[in-house]
Structure formats: C-alpha cells, structure tokens
Amino acid sequence: MIAALLAERCTGCNACVEQCPTRVFESGADGGLPVIAAPDACQTCYLCELACPSDALWVNPDAQDASAPPPADLLASGQLGRVKRDHGWNAPLDAGQLDAYRLLGPLLGEGVEIADRHYQRLIAAR
Amino acid sequence: MSALPLTLRADVLVVGGGMAAAWAALAAAEAGATVIVVDKGAMGTSGVTATGGPGHWFVPPEAHDAAIARQMARTEDLAQADWMACVLDLTWRYLPTIAPWYPFGSDGRGGRYVQGVRGPEYMRALRRMCTVAGIAVLDHHPALELVADRDGAIVGARGLALASGEDWEIHAGATVLATGGCAFRSGLIGSHSQTGDGLLMAAEAGAALSGMEFSISYSLSPAWASTRTLPFTAARFFREDGTELAVPSLKAGHAHFQALGAAMLQGPVLADLSAAPDGLPGVLRQIQPLTVAAFERRGIDLFRQRFPVRLFGEGTIRGTGGIAVVDGDCGTGVAGLYAAGDAATRERVAGAISGGGAVNSAWALASGRIAGAAAARHRDSATAGPALALGGPGLRTAGRPRVTDPLPLQRAIEAEMHGYDRALWRHAASLDQSATVLQGLWDEIGAHAAPPDPRGRVEWRATAAMAATARWCTAAAAARRETRGIAVRSDLPATDPALAHSLLVGGLDTLWVKAATPAARPLEPAL
C-alpha cells in the first residue's frame, strides 16, 4: 500500500494525482503538495512510482500495510526510483530494455514441466 | 450534485480506460468519428493490462489455420472459428502499430519481439496514440449510468468527475462499454476498479450477459500482495512445518487450484521456487521488475526462501463471461450500445475455458477495434434525443435515505464468488445457498441510499454492480447442469453434449437464464 510521499523530494507536479488508477492522491490545498487521500483504494501496483518524476513515492509491498521507514532510511535505501530504473522507464525506446522478453515465456513453460515431473515423482513415492 | 451538469457531445463515447477502450477509441477515430473516453481511473494505468505483461495471440497469417484448429479443440464446443480468424487477423495487423511509442525488444534474429508487451509501457503507448488521434480522454470521470432516447437506443451516459464532484452528461451517437471484467475486489492487482459497472449498465439497457458460469479462475501470488505474474510455475508447496504438499502442476487446470485451495483452507501454504529454471531470476529482474520489488522490499529472495502464498480470485477477468455479443459488430442487441474486452463475453474465442492471457489480450484488442469501428458507423443513426437515464440499483433508491458502509457487503459478495469452498467445489446446494445470500445482499443494497460524496456515490454504485454480477454468475452456474471447461460442478462431473451452447442470463431484481439458440449466434464478424 502507498506508504510514503517524501516532502523532501516532491515538487508538487501532481503526476501521481493525475495518473493513479484509483485516485488515491488528491491535490494539496492552496497549491501545496499532493496528499494520500484514499489509501484504502490503493492496489499496490507501483504505477505511481513509475509516474513520479522526482522519485518521491514509496509503496509498501504489503497490500494491507501503510507503514513506512523514516524518510532518512528510505532516502538511503536505494529503493526510491528503483522500479523506474529497472523498467528503463525514461530510456529511449530502442535502448533494449525488453530484449529479454522473448525468453520469459519459454522459462515459465519450462517451470510448468519441472513442477509436473516433480509431482509425478512425489505421488509415485507415496 | 450540481444543478446543471457539464454536457458534452461526441460521435462515439467509450466507457473505460484499459486496452480494449483504447483500441476502440482509436478505431472509431480512424473511421472519422469524434471520440470521448471516460474512465473511472486514468487511461495509461487503468485496468489489469497496465499492471501486467500481456502476451497476445500473435500468429503469422500462414499459421492461422493451425492456431484456430488447436484453439477449437480446447474450447469445448462454444467457440467459433470465424471469430478466431477475425481476432487473429486484427491482432496481427494492429499490435505492431504501437511501435512508434513502445520499446519493442529483439526477437534474437534481427527483428522485433511483438507478442509479449509490458503493461505500463503498452498502456502508455496506447494513451499517446489516443492523444495523437485527437481523442478526448477524461480521466477519473466514472460513468454511473447510460442514457437512452424514447425508443430505448443508447445515446450517451452520465457520471461524475472525481476531482470536482461535478456531474457530467455526454451525448453520443454510439457508446462502447469497455469497463473490464469483475474480480469482486479480491485484491487482484489492477482490478480495484473492475467492479462490473459496465455489465450492470448494459443489463439496465436491456442487454443480456453470457458465459457468466465460466468464472472460476484464480492466480497465485505471495500472500501479502497480488502480483498477477507467473514466475511461480515451478513451485513446490509446503506446510510451515516443512511437510510437502502434493499439488498437481498448472497443467492439471482446475485440479491444481483445487489442491491449493483445499490446502489453504486448512492453513498457511508456502511456495518454494528453488527448482525454477536457472535463467529465470535474471530475466524476471529485467522484464517484471514490479514482481521483484514485491519480494525485495520485504528482504525475501524469492528463488531461495520459502514464502506464504494465496490464490487471488480473478472473477470474470481471467474468467470468460460478460455482456452478450449478438452480432459481428460486438453489438449488444441494444441500439447504439457495443461491448469490448473483458466486459464482453469472450466465449466466441475462448469457449468454455479462460482463454489464457494470450487469447484474452487478442480478444481485447480485436473486440475493441470491432466495437469502435461499428460505433463510428452507427453514429449518424437518427435518434429521438436523450430522454431517460437508465441507472437504478445503487444509484436511485426508493427506500430510506440511510447510508451504510459498503465494505462488509463487498466482502460478503467476494466470499460467495471466490471462497475456495464455494468456487472450487460448486454443487447445486452450494449454488442455491450462494444465491440466497446474494439476494439478501442485493436487497440490502437496494434499501440504502448512496452516500452524498463523489467517491461514496461511485463506490455504492460499484457495490450494486458487484452484487448483480455475482448473482448472474451464480444463476448461470446453477443452470449449467454439467461440467464444461472452467465451469466445474462437483455434483455433475460429466460434460453433456446436449448442453453445447451458451447460456444467457439477465434481469435485475428477478433473474432469468436461457439457452442461446444456434440461430442467435453471430455471423461472420465484420473486418
């Protein structure tokens, strides 16, 4: 669940307000920073972290947990902006960020075969 | 509620903001129509595609016949080869058109890998294409009800703007419902807004639902959050005390989920991914960073440490049912009203099975394009002018204006739909019991008024839509007195050849179910 909006980094651009699919954020009063107005609507999708240009948001990976480490710890954690960097979100479209995509399907299929063989061995042994 | 709503006019109105909505809007705009999109969320992040990595049924034309033959053999006699051909053709032609806006990866042979696309970048590309095409996208503008003319033709919709709380009314020559399926607020990532709103609006306009019994579907995820991705295919399953559970692989379909569901009813289940293919961890980091984050931020190495898992209900999202499509235009049988994507029944290409991600995404693209193009063609039809707002349940209440908390009602609905004991072992008595519980919830919703604030109004209407959708699923499941595809009945395990037809369901306070006659099946869909 959305857990932190760091005032140290937020520029008040309201990209999170505009782009959250469940409108968790609302614009701040009198031009202030946006606020987490409806945390219960958060679906822990991390898309606000992709939307935020200043890496000011942190989503707790537990869908029911809105607690966050202190801002200083978050700033030092390396997690702010991590998913955006992993995505290559701002990279040029030809940067090769999805060159490994074609390998994913076969690996998942191989996983099914591994599980299937394991299950057959398991029931044969019982 | 403001006295004078914002009123806009377009040739085509698209309700929804996911991939089917975007493709519908683009097809309508390409046909020369002016288009407005209204979305409960924000196009670009809305819907289950935005949080996923949809593979598409993306097959070169020379291999279409073989792909259709394989799919016809799997779909338990409810699908149609002509529809499959159309969906394959549209997907092959249009998915590559996102290239100017999307970072396609390499196919390893000097070309592009097209069939799998990553959700956030895919929806970002579709949003940009809509902007370039001059489509007006109104984010956070949930539709609450359709508007009809005196003859019953749909001529637009009404809703509200979440930011301002102001009402809006949009008049359009044709309306496309692309509001997604319904996962009954199961916690499934990307599904919070998919509450069956479009299904309820369609039913109020007189449309039927179809295939609603094909709604038993789950995805496995860590217990603390849905990831809706599949790095767990090689998992072994354990109790907390280290005892291994015998769980058939995903190949076993329903039996895989039954084994997991039975174990989870008894206590926590841990997954162990240590046997996953060696290449998977590195690829997962590159291709599904959000799944990696769900573990890394808890300090868990998902390929070395066991972690608790649970099944998240997919409802009619990975399930197949939705608004009945009665012709090759994705028409609903109601003049001026079309359906696309998960909001529409996917039976014509998925039959009695889920369809899996690839066929389902292809359906969303193709049905969006079909519905959008048909809506653009319909736009000049003469109408008698807007006359009647059609919304009832959860919107207009005859009873006392008393407000109640929707959350307990939503949880009770979800328990009937996704409770492992209910969904994985459906039988006549359990379905009858669910129908009674859901009827009680429906009556309770009808007896209360929506809260006055904008979010409260949208949420109360969504609760009514979830209850309606659950009742249609339950009624159809009770009427299908056999096991077919993912509509598994523990009391009727055999497939009955006499029941190789779709079931239509509808009604609001009083439900009806009837067999779709072969004559009512769509003809060759328009390309």
Side-chain angles (χ1 to χ4, degrees), chain B residues 94-135:
Chain B
Y94 284 100
L95 184 55
T97 64
I98 67 174
W101 317 99
Y102 178 84
F104 277 121
S106 162
D107 67 356
R109 301 188 303 270
R112 291 184 311 220
Y113 174 74
V114 174
Q115 75 184 74
V117 288
R118 189 158 64 194
E121 285 87 349
Y122 183 31
M123 286 309 307
R124 179 177 65 178
L126 289 173
R127 170 79 187 227
R128 288 179 179 169
M129 290 165 73
C130 285
T131 302
V132 169
I135 294 159

Side-chain angles (χ1 to χ4, degrees), chain B residues 370-449:
Chain B
I370 293 167
R377 285 194 299 275
H378 181 85
R379 66 182 188 256
D380 294 327
S381 301
T383 86
L388 186 62
L390 299 178
L395 205 55
R396 297 188 174 81
T397 307
R400 296 160 293 173
R402 189 160 59 88
V403 173
T404 189
D405 181 2
L407 191 60
L409 298 168
Q410 293 170 0
R411 288 195 171 141
I413 294 164
E414 208 245 331
E416 295 305 319
M417 293 311 296
H418 289 147
Y420 304 146
D421 55 336
R422 282 277 184 272
L424 291 167
W425 287 273
R426 274 182 186 167
H427 56 91
S430 74
L431 288 165
D432 189 48
Q433 202 179 354
S434 285
T436 303
V437 170
L438 291 166
Q439 178 71 50
L441 295 167
W442 176 257
D443 291 342
E444 196 170 336
I445 294 164
H448 290 80

Side-chain angles (χ1 to χ4, degrees), chain B residues 6-299:
Chain B
L6 170 70
T7 304
L8 298 171
R9 158 85 215 175
D11 293 331
V12 172
L13 173 65
V14 177
V15 184
M19 66 172 282
W23 284 113
L26 287 167
E30 284 166 28
T34 57
V35 183
I36 296 176
V37 174
V38 288
D39 186 22
K40 196 176 183 178
M43 182 189 275
T45 58
S46 269
V48 288
T49 294
T51 59
H56 285 65
W57 204 24
F58 185 74
V59 179
E62 62 273 18
H64 283 188
D65 288 348
I68 291 167
R70 278 196 302 278
Q71 181 71 355
M72 285 298 285
R74 299 169 65 224
T75 44
E76 308 253 0
D77 298 327
L78 294 192
Q80 287 179 239
D82 53 0
W83 270 98
M84 290 182 193
C86 175
V87 166
L88 282 167
D89 175 65
L90 289 170
T91 305
W92 179 255
R93 284 199 278 148
Y94 284 100
L95 184 55
T97 64
I98 67 174
W101 317 99
Y102 178 84
F104 277 121
S106 162
D107 67 356
R109 301 188 303 270
R112 291 184 311 220
Y113 174 74
V114 174
Q115 75 184 74
V117 288
R118 189 158 64 194
E121 285 87 349
Y122 183 31
M123 286 309 307
R124 179 177 65 178
L126 289 173
R127 170 79 187 227
R128 288 179 179 169
M129 290 165 73
C130 285
T131 302
V132 169
I135 294 159
V137 179
L138 303 179
D139 298 319
H140 298 134
H141 277 59
L144 291 171
E145 59 184 329
L146 296 173
V147 175
D149 70 7
R150 284 193 304 276
D151 301 325
I154 299 306
V155 292
R158 284 185 183 173
L160 63 81
L162 283 171
S164 65
E166 288 174 8
D167 289 341
W168 53 259
E169 180 161 329
I170 296 173
H171 298 155
T175 300
V176 178
L177 292 172
T179 48
C182 178
F184 306 100
R185 286 285 166 84
S186 67
L188 182 78
I189 190 169
S191 77
H192 187 85
S193 294
Q194 276 84 313
T195 45
D197 308 359
L199 278 60
L200 179 55
M201 286 190 272
E204 287 167 342
L209 295 307
S210 182
M212 297 301 285
E213 68 276 30
F214 306 116
S215 49
I216 307 174
S217 190
Y218 294 92
S219 55
L220 185 75
S221 282
W224 58 85
S226 162
T227 61
R228 206 168 186 261
T229 49
L230 300 166
F232 317 115
T233 54
R236 299 172 183 181
F237 297 97
F238 294 86
R239 289 288 181 208
E240 284 175 319
D241 68 4
T243 312
E244 183 163 12
L245 297 160
V247 177
S249 80
L250 274 166
K251 278 187 184 176
H254 192 75
H256 169 77
F257 293 110
Q258 260 187 339
L260 282 172
M264 288 168 183
L265 285 169
Q266 302 294 317
V269 173
L270 309 182
D272 182 323
L273 301 190
S274 58
D278 292 339
L280 185 58
V283 171
L284 196 66
R285 159 76 70 191
Q286 269 193 60
I287 302 304
Q288 297 182 337
L290 303 181
T291 299
V292 175
F295 290 88
E296 209 161 62
R297 291 184 188 190
R298 285 172 76 92

Side-chain angles (χ1 to χ4, degrees), chain A residues 96-119:
Chain A
Q97 55 269 57
L98 292 173
D99 279 351
Y101 209 141
R102 70 182 185 278
L103 306 173
L104 185 62
L107 286 166
L108 300 180
E110 194 184 331
V112 174
E113 297 302 329
I114 290 168
D116 203 50
R117 286 194 299 272
H118 180 71
Y119 173 71

